[in-house]
Amino acid sequence: PLIENNTFIENVVGVSILNSSPIVQNNTFENNGTPIVISGVSYPRFANNEFLPGDKSKINAILFTNGSKIEKDFTLPSEHTIVIEGTLKINSGSTLTILPGTVVKFKMTSWGMDPIGLEVEGNIIASGTTQSPIIFTSLYDDTYGGDTTLDSNSIEPWLGSFIITLKSGSSIFDYVMVRYGGRISLPGDPRSERPALPPEPALKILEDANLSLTNSRFEKNIIHLQWFNCLLYTSDAADE
């Protein structure tokens, strides 16, 4: 499918992509609640689209809905901020490539109790540069990617907004910045027999995953990173 040279004005969602792989290029999205929403297993390509926010705008970004999956090699769109609602899963055998300068923000679901972040059984290649690092942060962090929610910074980002979990595969993080990640500890609830949950790291590397982590920065997280009997190579990774 080709979506080209169109104008989308004052829609709740400008373009909704569900289990599809369209080319979306040279369009103008003006004052939509969310310009583009991606769901299911989709591999769209984007070029030269313009997002013009207004009073009806809620999330001025490309939004992946909770439970979206990557099942083959795919490059994340980089021309606009990416918002991941809930969890984006990268399945075994697939590689998600993230280009320099891409800003990825994480949003809780409307239910509020779903996991938030990336769940990786395949590979992530996140290779930024000194001038154009790749950013992983909270939806409400206006320092990178601008005021995505258009709330004039009325909601401050908070520590513990997401977890990137590397379960298996081989990943590369180079010139990456991770902010406001991890999860705070949660008390148990005897009424529902829910156990207490310990604090979690922003980047969790499990024993079947390999990671090269270089030239990167971790700041304002609950726990920066945690690994479990895995192969981890680090160089010039800073924390604050």
Side-chain angles (χ1 to χ4, degrees):
L2 175 64
I3 303 171
E4 183 178 29
N5 297 327
N6 302 291
T7 301
F8 301 88
I9 302 176
E10 296 188 358
N11 303 286
V12 175
V13 175
V15 170
S16 177
I17 299 169
L18 173 61
N19 297 326
S20 182
S21 302
I23 298 171
V24 183
Q25 61 187 22
N26 302 319
N27 300 287
T28 299
F29 296 83
E30 183 177 346
N31 199 17
N32 295 277
T34 304
I36 298 172
V37 174
I38 301 172
S39 305
V41 182
S42 300
Y43 307 99
R45 288 180 288 166
F46 300 95
N48 303 318
N49 297 291
E50 186 176 19
F51 290 2
L52 301 175
D55 63 324
K56 299 184 185 301
S57 300
K58 303 298 183 184
I59 297 178
N60 193 43
I62 297 173
L63 173 69
F64 283 80
T65 62
N66 187 36
S68 296
K69 296 180 181 180
I70 304 298
E71 296 184 340
K72 67 177 185 179
D73 293 354
F74 178 63
T75 298
L76 204 63
S78 62
E79 67 176 24
H80 295 287
T81 297
I82 301 296
V83 172
I84 295 173
E85 178 187 52
T87 300
L88 175 64
K89 298 181 179 181
I90 295 89
N91 285 4
S92 177
S94 60
T95 297
L96 177 66
T97 299
I98 305 178
L99 300 176
T102 302
V103 177
V104 181
K105 298 186 177 183
F106 294 91
K107 173 188 181 296
M108 71 172 58
T109 64
S110 56
W111 167 242
M113 297 300 292
D114 296 304
I116 304 169
L118 295 174
E119 185 177 303
V120 184
E121 296 180 356
N123 315 300
I124 289 185
I125 307 300
S127 295
T129 66
T130 303
Q131 299 300 320
S132 299
I134 293 165
I135 311 296
F136 296 103
T137 190
S138 162
L139 173 65
Y140 299 104
D141 183 2
D142 298 344
T143 304
Y144 296 94
D147 186 4
T148 305
T149 58
L150 302 163
D151 63 355
S152 300
N153 203 28
S154 62
I155 301 177
E156 293 288 335
W158 58 84
L159 281 69
S161 296
F162 63 92
I163 301 171
I164 299 172
T165 304
L166 305 182
K167 293 186 172 182
S168 57
S170 297
S171 295
I172 296 172
F173 281 28
D174 187 32
Y175 289 104
V176 167
M177 181 179 292
V178 180
R179 292 162 53 91
Y180 298 105
R183 186 186 66 198
I184 62 172
S185 59
L186 298 174
D189 185 350
R191 293 171 297 178
S192 63
E193 298 184 352
R194 186 189 69 199
L197 298 174
E200 293 268 22
L203 178 57
K204 181 162 59 173
I205 311 149
L206 303 185
E207 60 183 348
D208 290 330
N210 297 329
L211 172 65
S212 172
L213 175 65
T214 54
N215 305 307
S216 295
R217 185 176 183 87
F218 293 75
E219 58 186 29
K220 305 181 188 299
N221 300 292
I222 297 293
I223 301 172
H224 302 315
L225 60 89
Q226 192 172 44
W227 59 91
F228 303 84
N229 300 320
C230 66
L231 181 61
L232 173 67
Y233 171 74
T234 64
S235 174
D236 297 328
D239 60 76
E240 182 176 286

